[in-house]
């Protein structure tokens, strides 16, 4: 069975500081891995995804994530936080062989301090 | 705007009433998914369609829930005899089946409140 654990339900950083949102996954087969962002009262927007190949994945809005198989992790980072980054972030996993459904983590709310 | 639309965006109903939500996917997408998101949680998979065929249903989808995609385009999700525990955001997503990296695009959701 697949699962996702996001460490920290709430992360607060200062504007301009490094953003690090942690995600660990469990999967018995090679996974697809995703990060989605959700702004208040809106649906989910894909930030980035890992399928195969290069383990460092670059996404939109300056975010990137690194797939580390040995650590079963897929942490999301951004070098310099912006006020507009304040939102809920979800890490997710689906089966490599079939993207029929996505299993989401419980989310991390990112707050940005001026 | 991802191109996936949902209607209505908000619905308030009394316990015991039936409600129906509609999802219009991106036009060329053949896969359509429904998820439910409760407050403070990530979305949970409910069901998905490939064209008009419903291929998978979660155990979360009780007998009071039914989903259809009659012509392989838009989909409806009906909840009969609503309960307060059904209060949640219902999200629809669509994707184009392809080998390799399939991406699901989400709509804005329908927020349901059962009084």
């Amino acid at each position: 069975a697949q699962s996702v654990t996001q460490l920290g339900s709430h992360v607060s950083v200062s504007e301009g500081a490094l953003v690090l949102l942690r995600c660990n996954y469990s999967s018995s087969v090679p996974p697809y891995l995703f990060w989605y962002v959700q702004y208040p009262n809106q649906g989910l927007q894909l930030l980035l995804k890992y399928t195969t190949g290069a383990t460092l994945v670059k996404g939109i809005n300056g975010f990137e994530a690194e797939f580390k198989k040995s650590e079963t992790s897929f942490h999301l980072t951004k070098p310099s936080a912006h006020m507009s980054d304040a939102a809920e972030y979800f890490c997710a996993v689906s089966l490599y062989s079939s993207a029929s459904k996505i299993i989401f983590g419980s989310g991390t709310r990112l707050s940005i301090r001026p | 705007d991802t191109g996936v639309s949902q209607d209505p965006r908000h619905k308030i109903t009394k316990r015991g009433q039936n409600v129906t939500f509609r999802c219009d996917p991106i036009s060329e997408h053949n896969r359509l998914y429904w998820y439910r998101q409760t407050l403070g949680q990530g979305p949970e998979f409910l069901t998905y369609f490939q064209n008009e065929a419903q291929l998978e249903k979660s155990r979360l989808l009780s007998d009071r829930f039914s989903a259809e995609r009659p012509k392989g385009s838009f989909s409806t999700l009906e909840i009969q005899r609503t309960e307060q525990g059904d209060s949640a955001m219902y999200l629809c997503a669509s994707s184009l089946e392809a080998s390799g990296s399939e991406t699901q695009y989400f709509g804005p959701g329908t927020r349901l409140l059962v009084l």
Side-chain angles (χ1 to χ4, degrees), chain A residues 4-112:
Chain A
V4 175
T5 301
Q6 291 186 241
L7 301 174
S9 59
H10 182 210
V11 170
S12 179
V13 302
S14 298
E15 191 174 18
L18 171 72
V19 175
L20 171 60
L21 305 184
R22 299 178 186 274
C23 172
N24 288 89
Y25 70 92
S26 171
S27 177
S28 57
V29 296
Y32 286 166
L33 294 162
F34 308 84
W35 276 99
Y36 280 86
V37 61
Q38 187 176 35
Y39 297 98
N41 299 313
Q42 295 187 26
L44 283 80
Q45 180 182 6
L46 181 67
L47 275 179
L48 49 81
K49 63 182 179 184
Y50 167 79
T51 54
T52 59
T55 57
L56 182 62
V57 181
K58 294 188 184 299
I60 62 172
N61 301 336
F63 285 93
E64 62 182 36
E66 186 172 10
F67 170 59
K68 293 187 176 180
K69 185 178 179 180
S70 61
E71 299 177 8
T72 61
S73 69
F74 191 57
H75 302 330
L76 181 72
T77 60
K78 181 174 180 177
S80 177
H82 191 272
M83 296 299 292
S84 61
D85 294 327
E88 189 89 19
Y89 291 80
F90 293 96
C91 181
V93 62
S94 71
L95 288 178
Y96 180 88
S97 60
S98 168
S100 62
K101 65 182 179 184
I102 294 175
I103 307 298
F104 287 88
S106 56
T108 297
R109 182 163 61 90
L110 176 63
S111 299
I112 311 297

Side-chain angles (χ1 to χ4, degrees), chain B:
Chain B
D1 183 2
T2 62
V4 178
S5 61
Q6 293 187 244
D7 184 68
R9 294 290 306 275
H10 303 274
K11 179 71 176 179
I12 300 175
T13 191
K14 293 183 179 179
R15 189 177 54 186
Q17 298 294 305
N18 299 345
V19 294
T20 300
F21 310 140
R22 176 179 169 125
C23 171
D24 286 90
I26 295 171
S27 59
E28 65 269 24
H29 284 187
N30 59 344
R31 285 185 171 175
L32 187 147
Y33 309 78
W34 286 99
Y35 292 82
R36 181 174 69 184
Q37 184 180 21
T38 53
L39 205 60
Q41 299 297 317
E44 297 172 292
F45 170 81
L46 292 178
T47 188
Y48 101 97
F49 294 84
Q50 181 156 315
N51 300 311
E52 65 274 11
Q54 188 172 17
L55 296 187
E56 187 173 351
K57 293 197 294 186
S58 162
R59 295 173 189 174
L60 294 174
L61 216 64
S62 74
D63 293 343
R64 296 184 297 105
F65 288 70
S66 63
E68 293 183 343
R69 195 183 183 199
K71 297 182 180 179
S73 56
F74 73 92
S75 174
T76 58
L77 177 67
E78 181 183 17
I79 309 175
Q80 297 182 327
R81 305 181 303 282
T82 53
E83 302 174 354
Q84 288 183 326
D86 297 331
S87 296
M89 173 83 90
Y90 290 84
L91 294 164
C92 174
S94 71
S95 70
L96 179 63
E97 179 192 8
S99 60
S101 55
E102 180 179 320
T103 297
Q104 293 184 24
Y105 295 88
F106 283 80
T110 294
R111 186 171 295 280
L112 172 66
L113 177 61
V114 181
L115 301 176

